[in-house]
Amino acid sequence: MADSENNNDASTAEPSKLCDLLERGWKIFDEVDSTNEPLASSSIQVRVKRGIGMLEEASTMVAQLDLFSCNEELEEVATADLRYLLLPALCGALSLKQSGRDRRLEIVQTARNYFMDFLKRCHEYNLSRFELPTANENSSPCEASENESPATPSVPCQPDLVSMAVRRQAKIERYRQRKDLEARLTDVRRAVDSGQADDEVTRDFYLLNVQRWVTVCLEEIESIDQEVEILQKMDGLKQGAAKQPAQPARPPMKPFILTKDMVQAKVFGAGYPSLATMSVDEWYDQHKKRGGLPDQGIPRRVDTEEDIDAKEREEEDKEKKAENDDEESRLKTRNWDDYKESHRRGYGNRHNMG
């Protein structure tokens, strides 16, 4: 009898602990998702790791209790157990909040596994109409075609317009569905938070949350597949760069010191275009030896008798003119000085009067 009472106490204590782990982990995710602090900060990363630990512990307990089975229908699942369907989705969402460039590929792959686990469980219970992502979506269509036919020559990858249009339409439909679910969740959450919700309203609240997370996980998986492809290409580039032979190290240059000698003069110069290489007398003597002066080789002109007579006549005319015009020139100069004293400069000029 005592053993049965102890077993009942343990069974009642374990679900309460499981509920606490889910609520605390969910609360941490909401706080981290709505915070304005950088995700790479130490405080946020500590909370993320704590939340992941709580949710993983809760998932282990759910697996031990066998709360869900692929052989049962959704109606057979208890209302209080429906919320535990969200554990893998919350684990994946919190995993994406982790920082670290070196571990980024491992982080996104772990988060994708969590999301796929959640979507598979929802697909088994027919909680929403969606198509499960394939496991090999990490490879691009070009890589898939190369893997299928390696013998064919390489052809540039052409985008599949039909599949692109289908994906675009599916994304638009998921967005509309998500907005509709969030609006319905807002109305139902008021009744649940007030404590006046019955079992049917509470069940509807959990199912709406699960359906909303289905749309979130599908979008996250699509983003993860694109990111994984980029990260794998980056790793390939890093490995290729690591395999390249290292360039030989250049020998160190010998130090040299510029002094006031010929080397310094060649580098800095003398401060003006060029230095004089000879004096004027040396230049004259050098050109005189070469016969390159202007008066060398040209016969000088000899004055003739006519030239001498012309010069003499010119000098006589100048002397006579100076004797005859001496009084006249003095008188003219005196009159001009008197005129300048009685008339100011510009007197009589009426052109620029305005």
Side-chain angles (χ1 to χ4, degrees):
M1 186 69 178
D3 295 338
S4 62
E5 290 178 357
N6 293 334
N7 291 334
N8 292 332
D9 293 339
S11 61
T12 55
E14 196 168 9
S16 63
K17 183 180 179 182
L18 177 60
C19 178
D20 293 340
L21 290 174
L22 174 61
E23 290 180 356
R24 290 161 60 188
W26 199 342
K27 183 179 179 180
I28 289 175
F29 169 74
D30 290 337
E31 292 175 353
V32 172
D33 191 46
S34 60
T35 186
N36 293 327
E37 298 182 26
L39 291 178
S41 62
S42 58
S43 60
I44 296 296
Q45 290 301 309
V46 169
R47 295 165 67 184
V48 167
K49 292 180 180 179
R50 187 185 302 119
I52 292 175
M54 293 178 183
L55 295 174
E56 287 180 347
E57 184 179 355
S59 300
T60 303
M61 296 173 64
V62 168
Q64 292 175 354
L65 294 172
D66 291 332
L67 294 182
F68 307 108
S69 175
C70 59
N71 297 324
E72 62 182 357
E73 298 294 333
L74 181 62
E75 291 77 10
E76 300 177 15
V77 180
T79 301
D81 296 340
L82 286 175
R83 53 188 167 179
Y84 300 120
L85 288 171
L86 296 172
L87 283 171
L90 293 173
C91 285
L94 267 180
S95 298
L96 290 178
K97 302 296 183 182
Q98 298 182 40
S99 62
R101 295 184 178 180
D102 298 337
R103 299 176 52 248
R104 185 60 184 173
L105 183 59
E106 178 185 354
I107 290 172
V108 296
Q109 288 177 345
T110 303
R112 192 181 194 281
N113 293 334
Y114 280 126
F115 291 144
M116 286 298 298
D117 187 16
F118 170 74
L119 292 176
K120 288 178 182 178
R121 184 61 56 83
C122 294
H123 194 268
E124 291 174 357
Y125 283 109
N126 293 322
L127 281 168
S128 181
R129 296 178 58 186
F130 65 92
E131 185 178 354
L132 275 175
T134 57
N136 58 352
E137 279 193 356
N138 293 342
S139 61
S140 62
C142 293
E143 294 176 355
S145 62
E146 290 175 1
N147 294 332
E148 291 176 0
S149 57
T152 58
S154 59
V155 180
C157 179
Q158 300 294 334
D160 190 357
L161 299 180
V162 177
S163 61
M164 291 173 62
V166 171
R167 287 197 298 269
R168 179 177 180 275
Q169 188 63 31
K171 185 176 292 187
I172 294 173
E173 187 63 28
R174 285 198 303 267
Y175 177 78
R176 293 176 180 173
Q177 184 180 1
R178 181 176 177 179
K179 289 299 181 182
D180 184 29
L181 291 172
E182 289 177 352
R184 293 169 59 187
L185 267 173
T186 303
D187 298 336
V188 178
R189 184 179 285 109
R190 296 172 184 172
V192 174
D193 294 341
S194 63
Q196 301 177 357
D198 54 4
D199 185 74
E200 184 178 356
V201 176
T202 305
R203 189 179 184 87
D204 190 19
F205 173 73
Y206 290 140
L207 290 177
L208 288 174
N209 269 297
V210 173
Q211 292 174 0
R212 174 185 172 276
W213 272 99
V214 167
T215 59
V216 173
C217 291
L218 290 174
E219 293 177 359
E220 291 293 346
I221 287 179
E222 186 175 351
S223 299
I224 286 173
D225 291 339
Q226 297 175 359
E227 185 175 358
V228 166
E229 184 179 351
I230 295 174
L231 292 174
Q232 289 177 347
K233 290 183 178 179
M234 291 176 62
D235 291 342
L237 292 176
K238 291 180 180 179
Q239 293 176 1
K243 292 180 180 179
Q244 291 181 357
Q247 296 182 356
R250 296 178 59 184
M253 296 181 62
K254 295 181 179 180
F256 59 93
I257 300 175
L258 294 178
T259 57
K260 293 182 178 180
D261 53 8
M262 187 183 301
V263 178
Q264 185 177 2
K266 289 181 180 179
V267 175
F268 296 105
Y272 40 86
S274 60
L275 292 173
T277 57
M278 63 181 67
S279 64
V280 178
D281 294 336
E282 293 174 350
W283 180 87
Y284 183 84
D285 295 338
Q286 182 179 0
H287 281 69
K288 186 176 181 181
K289 292 178 181 179
R290 296 178 183 175
L293 294 177
D295 56 350
Q296 285 184 329
I298 302 175
R300 293 184 178 180
R301 182 179 177 182
V302 180
D303 294 337
T304 59
E305 295 181 357
E306 295 180 356
D307 294 335
I308 296 174
D309 295 339
K311 288 181 179 180
E312 291 178 354
R313 284 195 299 272
E314 185 177 355
E315 292 178 358
E316 292 177 358
D317 292 339
K318 287 182 180 179
E319 292 178 357
K320 291 179 180 179
K321 186 175 181 181
E323 293 176 357
N324 298 331
D325 297 339
D326 187 26
E327 294 294 334
E328 294 180 0
S329 60
R330 283 199 298 269
L331 181 61
K332 185 177 180 180
T333 302
R334 188 181 300 112
N335 292 335
W336 177 245
D337 292 338
D338 295 340
Y339 178 82
K340 287 194 296 182
E341 290 178 359
S342 59
H343 297 80
R344 67 179 183 274
R345 184 179 179 84
Y347 182 83
N349 185 6
R350 296 180 176 273
H351 286 286
N352 296 323
M353 296 292 291

